[in-house]
Amino acid sequence: MSRQNMVFGFSAIQLATMTLCLGAPLISQAQSAEPAGGPALPAVTVSAVRDADSPTGPGNGYVAKRSLAGTKTDTPLVETPQSISVVTREQMDAQAAQTLDAALRYTPGVYSQDNDLRFDQLSARGFDLDSYLDGLKLVKTATWFVTPRIDTSLLDRVEVLHGPASVLYGQAAPGGVVNMVSKRPTEEAFHRIDFQAGNNDRYQVGFDMGGPVDADGKVLYRVTGLGRYAGTQTDHVREERYAIAPSVTIKPGADTTLTILTSLQHDPAGGLFNPVPLAAASGINPNGRISSKSYFGDPQRDHMERTQGTLAYIFEHRFSDALTVRQNVRYLHDDIDYYQTSITGPLAADNRTVPIWSNINREHLTNFAVDNQAQIKFNTGALAHTTLVGIDYQRTLGGVNRGGAVTGSINIYNPNFAALSTAQITTFEDYSLTQVGAYLQDQVKLGNWSLQLGGRKDWTTSNDVQRTGAVTTVARQNDSAFTWRGGLTYQFDSGLAPYVSYAKSFQPTIGSNTGAAPFVPTTGKQYEAGVKFQPKNTDALFTLAVYDLRQQNVLTPDPVFPTRSVQTGEIRSRGIEFEAHANLTENLKAIASINKMVQDITRSNTATRGKRPVAQPGQMASAWLDYTIHGGSLDKLGFAGGVRYVGSSYGTADNLTTVGGRTLFDAAIHYDYDQHWKFALNAANLFNKEYLAYCSNGFLCYWGATRTVLATARYQW
C-alpha cells in the first residue's frame, strides 16, 4: 500500500474513532449517579431497530419501499425520481438464487451473460452495470480478470439504480449501479442451517446466526457462511467455494452505531467460460450440432482459483435531529490464479478445426475506499431540506503476470489437447487508480412536491507500467469531470407519484488519440419520466418509466488513420420499463416486469452507424407468482412458478447474425413443516431448453444456463 493510501486510511479511521468518542456519553443513564434532592429516574434504553423495511433490511416479503441506493439517505422509493429495483432476501430465497445474475433475472432491463461462473457480467438499458457492496465500489480492472464476486447467501438485498449515477458514485457506466447490501447483525436472536443438493452433483451447506451479545442489546453479532462443491452443465467445469462473513454492531449510545463487516472467501474452482463455434452450436454445420455439455478447453491445464477478503465498517452518529454524520470504509484484497484454453477464430474449411488461445494470468488487486457524509436537515420557510454533503476516496493497486498465445488447434468433434503448447508468462504489469470526489445533494419538500438536485466533481489518476522482455511502457492519465442530476416528484394522496429526472455520468477511457492526447472520459446523459404507485391499502409498489439515454465520446476509428481511434462515436438507448412487486394477500405474492428497448449507434466512422450493439436484447418480460396455503391439512404448503422471456439480439456488429430469443419457465414447491424445518424444491429452466445466451462476434457464442434443480432443507431455531 502506498504512503498516501496509508495516511488517508489512518485519517479515516482516526476520524471515526474521534466521532465515536464525541458521540458516546461519559456516563450512561443506567449508570448515572443519583441527582441531588431526589432518587434517580429509571433507566431508559433507546435503540434503533433495523426492521425488514429499513433501507438496508431484507425487505418485507417481495416488497421493499425504502432504499439508500438512489439518494444515500433513507428515502422512500416512491419519492425517488429515478427508477430503482430492489430484490429482497425473501425473493432470493424463494427463487433459490445462487448468483447475482440469477437474483436479477426478474428485474426489468437487466441482462446478464447467464452462464459465466467466473464473475458477474451485467448490463441495464444496453450498457454495463457497475457493482457496489454496501455503497462502495467493487473495483474491477478494465482489461484482465481479477474481479471480486460476492455470494448471494451473504446478502440481505440487491438494489439496481437504473441509468447514470455518477453524481453519488463517481466514475460509472451509464447503465447504472447494482448495490449489494450485506447481511448485518440483528436485535433478535436467530440460528439457521441450510442443506442443499442439486443436479450436476451440486452440494452445499450454509449457516446464518445472529443476535445480541449482551443483555442490553448494545452489542449485536452475525456470522454467515457456506461451503459448496458442484459440477456444472459443462463437462470438466466445476465450482467450489468456502466463505464466512462475521459482523458485529456496537451501539454505545442511542445516537451512535458502528457496524464492522468482514468476509473471507476462497474459490478453489472459480469456474471457466466456454465459447463455442456459432455454426456448430446453431446446427448449420454439416458435421452436426455440438452438445451444450461439450467443453472446448483443456481439462488438465485449465483452472481458476480466487481468494478474496474484506474488512469494512459503517459508522453513523446523530448529533441532533438536524445533523447526522456517516462514514463507510472498506479494505478489499483479491488474488486469482487463472489458466484458460478456449477457441479463438472461425472454423477452418473442414468445419471441424478451430484455433485455440491459451492465457495465463496471476493477478492481485487491493482496494481501499471511504465515503464520508454529513446529512443536514433544515427548513427555509415552507421548504423542508435534507442536504447531503460528501467526500469519497478510493485507491486501487494491482498487478498481473500474464501471457497469451495461439497454442495450436483442435478438432471440435474429437478434441486432442495434448498436442497444445503451454502459455508462458511474458508480461509483468502494475497499475494504480486514485479517485477523489466531492458531492452535494439537496432533497427539498414542499407539500406533495419533492425536488432533488445534486452535483459532483471528480478527479481521477491512473498509472500503468508494463514490462515485456526489455521493453517497458508507461501510461499515465489524469481526468476530471463534473456531473449533476435533477428530479421532481409529485405525490398524490392516492399513492400515485409521477416524476421527471435528468442525470449524467462519466467513465474514464484508457488510451490516446492520433495526436498522442489522452482520451477524455465517455459521458452518459439520461432523460427519464415515469410514475410510481404505492396503493394505500395494498402492500405493493408499481413503477413505469420511459427514458432516453445516450453515451458520448465513444471510440470509433480515425478516418485518416484507421488503426487509431477518435472519440466521435455515440450510442443511444430509448425504452420503456414496467415493474411490479406485490404481497397481494397473506397467501399470494407476485413479481412482474416488462421492458422494450431500442438501442442504436447514432455516430460512428464505420458502417456500424445505425446498427444495434451486439449481445443486447431489445425486449424482455417476466412474471413470478408464489401461493402459500394457510389453514387446513395443507397448511404452509406453497407453490411458485415463473416465466422469463428474453428477445433476440445481434451477434455481429454488422447485425447480419441474430441470436434468437427464448422463453424459460421456473417452478418451486415449498413447505414449512413446523417452526423449525422448511423444505423447498426449485427448478430453473424447468423444461431444459438449450439456447445460446449471446454471441460476441460471428464465430464465438456462449450457451445459456440449462435446467438447474436444487433441493433445500432448512433448520432454524
Side-chain angles (χ1 to χ4, degrees):
M1 184 181 294
S2 69
R3 181 179 183 274
Q4 177 186 5
N5 193 8
M6 292 176 64
V7 171
F8 198 96
F10 175 77
S11 301
I13 295 171
Q14 188 180 48
L15 173 62
T17 305
M18 289 190 295
T19 308
L20 181 62
C21 293
L22 289 171
L26 295 177
I27 304 176
S28 68
Q29 282 184 294
Q31 298 173 329
S32 60
E34 180 178 316
L41 294 174
V44 177
T45 300
V46 179
S47 61
V49 178
R50 180 175 171 264
D51 60 22
D53 199 31
S54 76
T56 56
N60 179 25
Y62 287 178
V63 181
K65 297 180 180 177
R66 311 183 77 86
S67 170
L68 291 177
T71 61
K72 290 189 176 180
T73 62
D74 182 2
T75 303
L77 290 170
V78 74
E79 289 183 18
T80 306
Q82 195 166 342
S83 181
I84 300 176
S85 301
V86 178
V87 178
T88 66
R89 181 67 253 174
E90 185 168 328
Q91 179 183 334
M92 285 187 276
D93 286 340
Q95 296 173 347
Q98 302 276 293
T99 64
L100 184 61
D101 293 8
L104 295 173
R105 283 174 177 166
Y106 286 82
T107 302
V110 175
Y111 183 65
S112 78
Q113 297 194 9
D114 200 15
N115 191 32
D116 191 338
L117 299 175
R118 301 168 303 163
F119 34 75
D120 305 306
Q121 299 184 67
L122 298 163
S123 64
R125 298 184 174 180
F127 299 98
D128 287 345
L129 273 175
D130 287 299
S131 294
Y132 284 70
L133 178 64
D134 299 317
L136 298 175
K137 190 170 186 177
L138 290 173
V139 175
K140 68 176 183 179
T141 60
T143 308
W144 307 116
F145 301 102
V146 58
T147 301
R149 194 174 201 192
I150 309 300
D151 197 278
T152 54
S153 65
L154 309 181
L155 304 176
D156 254 348
R157 60 160 62 187
V158 179
E159 307 168 321
V160 178
L161 176 59
H162 298 264
S166 285
V167 72
L168 289 178
Y169 296 100
Q171 59 174 316
V177 163
V178 53
N179 180 50
M180 293 166 276
V181 179
S182 299
K183 289 180 175 178
R184 301 179 188 181
T186 59
E187 295 190 345
E188 294 186 3
F190 76 98
H191 310 83
R192 186 177 105 180
I193 298 178
D194 292 343
F195 305 93
Q196 294 180 309
N199 62 333
N200 298 316
D201 296 321
R202 186 179 190 88
Y203 303 98
Q204 178 172 316
V205 61
F207 61 90
D208 190 4
M209 303 176 184
V213 174
D214 62 328
D216 296 330
K218 292 186 176 182
V219 179
L220 313 173
Y221 85 97
R222 190 164 187 173
V223 57
T224 304
L226 79 150
R228 177 188 305 145
Y229 186 91
T232 68
Q233 69 183 57
T234 307
D235 293 338
H236 310 298
V237 178
R238 65 184 182 91
E239 182 186 6
E240 187 176 357
R241 170 170 294 169
Y242 307 96
I244 188 168
S247 59
V248 61
T249 293
I250 303 169
K251 298 185 292 184
D255 297 321
T256 305
T257 303
L258 174 66
T259 298
I260 301 171
L261 301 163
T262 65
S263 70
L264 180 62
Q265 177 179 307
H266 181 53
D267 299 343
L272 299 164
F273 78 125
N274 186 39
V276 296
L278 171 60
S282 61
I284 61 175
N285 192 317
N287 295 303
R289 186 172 185 267
I290 59 174
S291 167
S292 61
K293 295 179 181 241
S294 299
Y295 178 57
F296 298 112
D298 182 358
Q300 301 302 316
R301 295 183 177 97
D302 291 0
H303 63 272
M304 181 175 181
E305 182 177 0
R306 176 195 287 115
T307 301
Q308 172 182 301
T310 65
L311 173 62
Y313 70 77
I314 299 171
F315 171 78
E316 178 175 302
H317 178 72
R318 185 170 67 94
F319 286 98
S320 65
D321 290 341
L323 175 62
T324 301
V325 296
R326 305 184 189 94
Q327 185 180 64
N328 296 352
V329 175
R330 184 179 64 234
Y331 173 85
L332 178 147
H333 187 82
D334 209 338
D335 291 309
I336 72 161
D337 183 352
Y338 183 37
Y339 191 97
Q340 173 86 65
T341 53
S342 58
I343 68 172
T344 181
L347 288 167
D350 62 0
N351 287 312
R352 290 177 172 273
T353 306
V354 64
I356 290 292
W357 174 268
S358 299
N359 62 269
I360 180 171
N361 291 70
R362 293 173 183 163
E363 306 180 45
H364 64 88
L365 178 147
T366 298
N367 173 255
F368 173 81
V370 56
D371 185 9
N372 305 288
Q373 306 169 17
Q375 178 180 296
I376 308 163
K377 292 187 176 183
F378 62 96
N379 294 333
T380 54
L383 302 178
H385 299 259
T386 300
T387 301
L388 185 71
V389 181
I391 298 176
D392 58 29
Y393 169 91
Q394 65 168 311
R395 172 74 169 169
T396 302
L397 301 173
V400 52
N401 300 336
R402 58 182 170 85
V406 175
T407 54
S409 60
I410 63 166
N411 178 345
I412 61 171
Y413 295 96
N414 186 23
N416 177 16
F417 297 100
L420 299 178
S421 59
T422 301
Q424 303 296 325
I425 292 174
T426 57
T427 300
F428 303 86
E429 180 178 1
D430 293 293
Y431 56 86
S432 65
L433 169 69
T434 303
Q435 176 181 319
V436 178
Y439 56 90
L440 174 66
Q441 174 185 266
D442 195 14
Q443 298 170 255
V444 186
K445 295 201 69 173
L446 175 63
N448 290 4
W449 291 97
S450 299
L451 173 68
Q452 287 187 15
L453 290 172
R456 177 186 177 104
K457 180 70 173 182
D458 279 280
W459 298 267
T460 66
T461 301
S462 63
N463 291 278
D464 187 278
V465 179
Q466 298 187 35
R467 299 176 297 280
T468 303
V471 178
T472 299
T473 59
V474 180
R476 295 186 175 91
Q477 195 159 324
N478 297 298
D479 291 302
S480 63
F482 176 78
T483 53
W484 68 278
R485 75 169 179 180
L488 184 65
T489 304
Y490 185 84
Q491 288 184 265
F492 289 95
D493 294 338
S494 63
L496 203 66
Y499 69 90
V500 293
S501 66
Y502 175 81
K504 297 192 70 175
S505 68
F506 86 101
Q507 190 173 30
T509 303
I510 304 300
S512 59
N513 60 22
T514 306
F519 290 131
V520 299
T522 61
T523 59
K525 62 179 182 179
Q526 175 181 271
Y527 298 91
E528 180 174 318
V531 60
K532 300 183 182 184
F533 182 41
Q534 188 175 303
K536 294 298 182 182
N537 298 319
T538 303
D539 188 11
L541 181 63
F542 304 89
T543 302
L544 178 67
V546 294
Y547 62 89
D548 186 307
L549 172 59
R550 303 187 185 215
Q551 184 184 41
Q552 298 173 313
N553 299 334
V554 178
L555 295 181
T556 185
D558 188 319
V560 179
F561 302 97
T563 59
R564 303 301 299 269
S565 296
V566 293
Q567 290 185 278
T568 56
E570 181 184 76
I571 301 174
R572 176 182 61 187
S573 289
R574 294 170 293 170
I576 182 169
E577 295 171 349
F578 170 77
E579 181 175 26
H581 286 246
N583 302 318
L584 295 172
T585 68
E586 182 185 9
N587 302 67
L588 184 62
K589 302 180 181 70
I591 302 167
S593 72
I594 186 170
N595 70 279
K596 170 71 175 178
M597 178 183 70
V598 178
Q599 187 180 37
D600 53 358
I601 299 171
T602 53
R603 295 179 184 174
S604 176
N605 293 331
T606 69
T608 59
R609 182 174 181 177
K611 306 295 185 182
R612 274 173 50 188
V614 299
Q616 294 297 331
Q619 53 273 330
M620 294 187 291
S622 64
W624 173 272
L625 291 174
D626 189 322
Y627 183 81
T628 302
I629 300 168
H630 290 283
S633 59
L634 299 179
D635 184 39
K636 297 182 181 178
L637 177 65
F639 305 89
V643 58
R644 296 177 278 128
Y645 169 74
V646 179
S648 62
S649 62
Y650 287 114
T652 53
D654 58 14
N655 289 183
L656 295 179
T657 299
T658 301
V659 178
R662 64 269 188 188
T663 301
L664 307 174
F665 295 88
D666 306 324
I669 182 171
H670 52 86
Y671 177 55
D672 289 0
Y673 177 70
D674 55 22
Q675 293 182 345
H676 300 293
W677 283 102
K678 180 173 183 177
F679 302 94
L681 181 65
N682 288 78
N685 190 1
L686 178 64
F687 300 112
N688 201 30
K689 182 178 180 63
E690 284 191 349
Y691 61 94
L692 291 175
Y694 69 100
C695 295
S696 56
N697 52 44
F699 48 84
L700 293 183
C701 298
Y702 300 82
W703 289 113
T706 54
R707 180 168 53 217
T708 301
V709 179
L710 190 65
T712 302
R714 174 175 301 155
Y715 183 76
Q716 52 194 18
W717 69 99

